[in-house]
Amino acid sequence: MILRLAFASLAARALTVGMTILAIALSVALFLGVEKVRTGAKASFADTISGTDLIVGARSGSVQLLLYSVFRIGNATNNMTWDSYKDLAAQPEVDWIVPISLGDSHRQFRVMGTTTAFFERYKYRSGQPLAVSDGAVMDDLFDAVIGADVAATLGYEIGAPIVVAHGLASFTEHKDQPFRVSGILEKTGTPVDRTVIVSLEAIEAIHVDWRNGAQIPGQSTPADVIRQMQLEPQAITAALIGTQSRLQVFSLQRAINEYPQEPLLAILPGVALQELWQIVGIAETALIGVSGMVVVTALIGMMATIFSSLNERRREMAIFRAMGARPRVVLGLLVLEAVLMAIIGAALGLALLYAGLFIGQPLIDSAFGLWLPIEPPSMRELWVLLGVVAAGAIVSMVPAYRAYRMSLADGMMVRN
Amino acid sequence: MPDPDPILLLEDVRYRWPGRRAFGLHVGQLSLARGETVLLLGESGSGKSTLLSLICGTIAADAGRVLVADTDFAKLSPGQRDKFRAEQIGLIFQQFNLLPFASVRDNIALPLQFAPKRRARVKDPSQEARRLCRELGLPDDVITTRAGTLSVGQQQRVAAARALIGTPPLIIADEPTSSLDAETQESFLELLFAQSRAHDTSLLMVSHDARLADQFDRVIHMTEIAQTLRDAA
């Protein structure tokens, strides 16, 4: 019956109570939403590359190598030579190796030279392979395969011509050797979506007439002549390696890092991701902190609401006292009301979160390539909800204690 | 003629409000026999509220004895006094008796929540509340309506039903009729008397209205039993 009375009392103040609950619900939804995006982003980050045991490049920082080879962020300061690549490929531990050559761009998208092995070996989201949604992987020297975002942004279809610019954000273009779109990849939510993929030979081909980053004046070799040439690269940016056995990863990594002919760096993608995540972690903590503060604000709002209701509810408390309720019961009643508000708020917040996920999931996926899974609340989320309710109870102790003092002084008569 | 078994007995009780040096109360003697109806007459400011708070145990006397049903309040903790009040005393106030947001049934059953013995005397609180409402002349469907929607006269009757439920031995009514018009006043008192007689309940009613006197067994003036202490102590 006490519970029924508490509900009835809340219902009688539906407007202010409703607002308080809404504030709690929104803050809870925000907090859980930030958590979802955070874990989703982390998972999405970690999902960008899978199945690759080692990434090899010129010696630099491991995070730097990961960023430019996988995420296409920043640039390689140095290349590794083709000789080293061939040497590595011949190592017995190496099951497969895929070269990557970066440095040119098309519009705002990076161009990556590689071999067709890339389409078999590159895996994302725990082992999912790339799939061609339209057309086929490159067959001809001047064929290009484009990511889903490239196709969507630039409106390219199969057969569309592509002129590759030298360097990034550059005005000098390799106009002599236009490419043709041969295939469009399905959306992956990885940087591959924003990449134009051509063959390694094609990268060489468009640089035939170039020396030291500039076109040799007046020289323009026709495409059919280029096709006859021996197009073997001098250097590549990085290589992805799969080992015969995972046990060999560390010994191979050490061997590469101590490679005598050239300073090379081999990294484990998972370890480098961890390192990268530690750097991003500060922003992550700040984000949690801010959304946590929003929850606290909502709870303080609830405390203020209870405080301001105390005076008008003095009579109600006096009635409880007259009927034999101890002051402790009055205190308990106010805490119970706060807990009820917090529970309803938390539940509503959870409902808001799922409603938001259902509506937002496809939009966020297409806009940011971030896939937020809709799953039942995790243990961690349930703890958060429980924490909100507990915090609500603790916060409400302050006005409840004041009511306790008041009802002790008032007894069953309200003097005013 | 000392009553061997009074329901209520106050002897040489002194009380001074803490922090309010200017006001205190001294009660020489006040006793109420079981089943007796007493009208306590007093002007406002004569210490009626303080006296009622002493009888109900929400404040404790500084000196003297307050006995309700042979139990000395001085021997009880504040929490025990609260429970004892719920068990022994049915209360009706001048107005604002009810929780406006709760149903009439919940309002009537509320004291049972804090008085297990009183609760044990009632088989089915819902049925009993319905019965009391009927006895007090309230319409049958009133039981489920929110108390705040009733007229003042109806609210006072609900308060009477709440005081009567579980048949506590003592009912204290503090100006229960002053917010009612003359006609309603009379019928309310009739019903209250009928119900308290039926259960052999003592009734102590506080009022400033001497016209009600002839309906009670006994009339006491505040000035006969108590002095307010207004000197600076």
Side-chain angles (χ1 to χ4, degrees):
Chain A
M1 184 168 123
I2 292 288
L3 194 65
R4 190 160 71 231
L5 289 177
F7 265 119
S9 172
L10 287 178
R13 288 170 285 128
L15 191 67
T16 49
V17 168
M19 289 298 173
T20 307
I21 288 175
L22 190 66
I24 295 173
L26 285 176
S27 73
V28 166
L30 178 70
F31 189 83
L32 293 181
V34 165
E35 276 286 291
K36 274 266 183 240
V37 171
R38 190 179 69 84
T39 48
K42 203 167 176 172
S44 186
F45 231 57
D47 280 351
T48 300
I49 186 158
S50 94
T52 297
D53 293 324
L54 287 173
I55 300 171
V56 184
R59 191 164 294 166
S60 57
S62 58
V63 171
Q64 196 189 358
L65 174 57
L66 179 81
L67 282 177
Y68 70 68
S69 65
V70 176
F71 292 97
R72 321 261 187 275
I73 298 169
N75 291 301
T77 44
N78 240 320
N79 287 337
M80 62 185 279
T81 62
W82 187 244
D83 289 338
S84 301
Y85 169 81
K86 281 193 291 190
D87 198 13
L88 278 179
Q91 297 292 318
E93 295 99 329
V94 174
D95 181 26
W96 54 264
I97 182 162
V98 175
I100 288 174
S101 189
L102 296 159
D104 288 328
S105 65
H106 174 68
R107 303 285 186 94
Q108 68 269 45
F109 301 105
R110 303 255 179 144
V111 173
M112 180 178 85
T114 185
T115 61
T116 47
F118 180 80
F119 298 100
E120 295 156 33
R121 298 303 182 184
Y122 181 85
K123 302 275 167 61
Y124 67 103
R125 239 175 244 179
S126 27
Q128 204 167 326
L130 294 173
V132 179
S133 69
D134 201 3
V137 299
M138 56 268 190
D139 186 29
D140 184 71
L141 181 62
F142 291 106
D143 276 355
V145 174
I146 58 177
D149 286 354
V150 181
T153 311
L154 302 177
Y156 285 167
E157 284 170 17
I158 301 299
I162 286 185
V163 173
V164 174
H166 186 73
L168 305 170
S170 164
F171 297 105
T172 50
E173 293 182 328
H174 301 289
K175 278 187 194 137
D176 307 336
Q177 294 89 19
F179 284 82
R180 188 188 68 91
V181 175
S182 75
I184 298 169
L185 294 174
E186 270 177 16
K187 188 151 179 77
T188 62
T190 70
V192 172
D193 294 345
R194 297 182 297 279
T195 307
V196 175
I197 302 169
V198 299
S199 68
L200 209 56
E201 291 78 23
I203 295 284
E204 283 311 305
I206 54 178
H207 292 105
V208 162
D209 299 323
W210 291 54
R211 289 288 177 274
N212 301 326
Q215 193 165 9
I216 301 163
Q219 189 174 330
S220 175
T221 314
D224 47 339
V225 177
I226 291 176
R227 284 178 202 280
Q228 307 301 320
M229 293 168 75
Q230 184 72 24
L231 295 166
E232 193 172 66
Q234 295 292 307
I236 56 171
T237 311
L240 310 178
I241 291 177
T243 52
Q244 296 280 0
S245 148
R246 302 220 73 175
L247 297 170
Q248 299 163 338
V249 171
F250 291 103
S251 59
L252 182 61
Q253 184 189 21
R254 182 178 305 164
I256 294 170
N257 286 340
E258 289 167 358
Y259 190 65
Q261 282 81 0
E262 189 182 2
L264 291 179
L265 174 71
I267 57 165
L268 285 90
V271 175
L273 271 170
Q274 277 302 323
E275 256 178 71
L276 181 58
W277 204 254
Q278 273 169 14
I279 301 167
V280 183
I282 299 166
E284 195 190 12
T285 312
L287 207 58
I288 296 175
V290 169
S291 52
M293 286 310 288
V294 175
V295 176
V296 171
T297 309
L299 289 176
I300 289 176
M302 177 175 77
M303 181 166 84
T305 315
I306 298 175
F307 254 125
S308 66
S309 76
L310 282 188
N311 249 332
E312 59 186 90
R313 298 179 65 194
R314 262 178 122 150
R315 230 178 271 285
E316 183 186 326
M317 294 184 279
I319 291 168
F320 271 102
R321 292 281 283 125
M323 289 309 114
R326 297 179 188 195
R328 231 186 280 165
V329 173
V330 171
L331 182 131
L333 207 62
L334 285 173
V335 173
L336 177 66
E337 281 184 14
V339 167
L340 285 177
M341 282 196 266
I343 288 175
I344 299 171
L348 196 64
L350 198 63
L352 276 175
L353 174 73
Y354 279 102
L357 274 180
F358 268 108
I359 299 166
Q361 190 185 42
L363 300 174
I364 293 170
D365 187 36
S366 66
F368 304 108
L370 188 58
W371 182 254
L372 301 176
I374 297 177
E375 2 178 79
S378 66
M379 250 352 252
R380 188 184 155 88
E381 286 168 322
L382 290 179
W383 277 112
V384 168
L385 294 180
L386 197 68
V388 169
V389 174
I394 291 167
V395 157
S396 72
M397 292 297 265
V398 183
Y401 181 69
R402 190 180 150 86
Y404 174 87
R405 302 287 309 172
M406 263 161 65
S407 103
L408 209 56
D410 281 352
M412 40 182 217
M413 325 250 174
V414 178
R415 268 165 291 269
N416 44 5
Chain B
M1 31 114 222
D3 187 333
D5 181 28
I7 183 68
L8 172 68
L9 179 68
L10 277 80
E11 271 179 342
D12 198 24
V13 172
R14 281 173 195 280
Y15 182 77
R16 198 172 282 281
W17 283 100
R20 270 188 273 177
R21 307 186 306 175
F23 189 76
L25 186 72
H26 173 239
V27 183
Q29 218 236 355
L30 172 66
S31 81
L32 211 70
R34 289 185 189 266
E36 192 182 19
T37 59
V38 170
L39 177 67
L40 183 63
L41 284 175
E43 298 306 312
S44 60
S46 59
K48 290 182 296 183
S49 301
T50 306
L51 179 62
L52 290 185
S53 292
L54 282 165
I55 294 172
C56 292
T58 52
I59 54 176
D62 298 332
R65 299 204 303 159
V66 179
L67 271 77
V68 173
D70 303 323
T71 303
D72 190 343
F73 273 179
K75 295 197 173 80
L76 300 179
S77 70
Q80 285 171 320
R81 287 205 302 271
D82 285 330
K83 191 174 166 199
F84 195 75
R85 168 171 69 254
E87 294 282 10
Q88 304 292 334
I89 303 174
L91 273 164
I92 309 169
F93 294 113
Q94 185 172 349
Q95 54 180 348
F96 308 120
N97 266 295
L98 308 178
L99 300 173
F101 50 79
S103 70
V104 166
R105 182 182 43 217
D106 283 349
N107 264 292
I108 293 175
L110 185 59
L112 301 182
Q113 196 72 38
F114 307 106
K117 282 185 205 138
R118 220 169 134 185
R119 170 71 183 83
R121 284 198 288 272
V122 179
K123 269 208 201 82
D124 178 353
S126 216
Q127 278 301 319
E128 180 65 2
R130 200 182 297 273
R131 186 189 71 80
L132 284 165
C133 281
R134 209 179 301 126
E135 299 281 346
L136 288 162
L138 287 163
D140 243 11
D141 57 351
V142 85
I143 202 89
T144 51
T145 50
R146 280 176 53 214
T149 60
L150 301 180
S151 72
V152 180
Q154 285 177 319
Q155 289 197 20
Q156 289 305 86
R157 289 182 206 195
V158 172
R162 185 183 60 185
L164 287 162
I165 197 166
T167 59
L170 176 61
I171 287 182
I172 290 176
D174 181 11
E175 307 249 18
T177 57
S178 65
S179 58
L180 307 178
D181 58 56
E183 210 172 309
T184 335
Q185 239 178 42
E186 203 160 310
S187 70
F188 174 80
L189 281 179
E190 263 171 42
L191 291 164
L192 185 58
F193 274 115
Q195 286 303 312
S196 56
R197 288 217 176 87
H199 299 110
D200 199 26
T201 304
S202 309
L203 174 65
L204 176 66
M205 184 155 134
V206 180
S207 179
H208 62 275
D209 192 352
R211 286 174 304 174
L212 305 168
D214 54 349
Q215 301 185 47
F216 288 82
D217 297 341
R218 196 148 59 98
V219 179
I220 302 172
H221 284 269
M222 264 312 268
T223 47
E224 295 166 13
I225 57 155
Q227 299 90 49
T228 55
L229 313 169
R230 291 187 184 279
D231 54 282

